[in-house]
Amino acid sequence: MWWGGAPSILKGWFEKIFACNFAWGMENMYDKGLLRGKKAAIFTTIGGDNHEYSADGEVHADITQVLHPYHRGILAFCGIEVLPIHEIYEVEITTQEMRKKYIEDIDTIVKNFDTCELIQKF
């Protein structure tokens, strides 16, 4: 995450690739989106701790609420089945051992991508 959303290079990629008549169209949004049958998940690192991303934390929202525009406004809008967000908090102070565990967890998720539980399915 960068300033509560995607880094500008990723946002630019969305804007260029998820174009009208490729990913969506006036008659082709959400359950009729042109990228139906695809799945996506967001993996993100966060400098703050998980309490900051809660209703009573500094952000006053959890990570799902913060990234809702990406889940619903981009991915689901184009018909993509959306998996839960996978976040790593306090990334600047993680140990090498913790990073190794995070990578192993991500590897397991990616290897089992087809059987992951979806947040949004059309």
Side-chain angles (χ1 to χ4, degrees), residues 47 89-96 98-99:
Y89 293 99
E90 299 179 303
V91 69
E92 293 92 357
I93 62 171
T94 58
T95 65
Q96 200 62 18
M98 292 167 67
R99 291 178 185 167

Side-chain angles (χ1 to χ4, degrees):
M1 282 194 9
W2 192 259
W3 288 103
S8 62
I9 195 166
L10 181 57
K11 182 146 183 350
W13 181 83
F14 277 124
E15 291 171 1
K16 290 175 186 161
I17 301 302
F18 283 56
C20 184
N21 298 324
F22 171 76
W24 65 280
M26 297 310 286
E27 305 283 323
N28 301 101
M29 297 173 269
Y30 297 105
D31 62 334
K32 296 178 181 123
L34 298 175
L35 298 180
R36 288 182 316 277
K38 308 278 186 212
K39 288 184 182 181
I42 296 173
F43 294 85
T44 188
T45 57
I46 301 165
D49 64 26
N50 61 343
H51 177 72
E52 287 180 47
Y53 289 85
S54 64
D56 58 341
E58 292 291 324
V59 178
H60 297 288
D62 66 30
I63 195 65
T64 303
Q65 293 167 311
V66 171
L67 294 177
H68 181 78
Y70 295 92
H71 261 211
R72 188 77 185 150
I74 297 174
L75 300 173
F77 180 82
C78 296
I80 296 172
E81 297 175 356
V82 184
L83 285 84
I85 295 168
H86 303 280
E87 65 271 18
I88 299 171
Y89 293 99
E90 299 179 303
V91 69
E92 293 92 357
I93 62 171
T94 58
T95 65
Q96 200 62 18
E97 183 177 298
M98 292 167 67
R99 291 178 185 167
K100 183 178 177 187
K101 174 74 169 112
Y102 292 142
I103 290 169
E104 289 171 359
D105 291 347
I106 291 167
D107 186 56
T108 299
I109 292 164
V110 170
K111 285 179 179 173
N112 296 294
F113 206 69
D114 288 337
T115 60
C116 290
E117 185 177 329
L118 301 171
I119 288 179
Q120 181 81 45
K121 182 169 181 154
F122 298 108

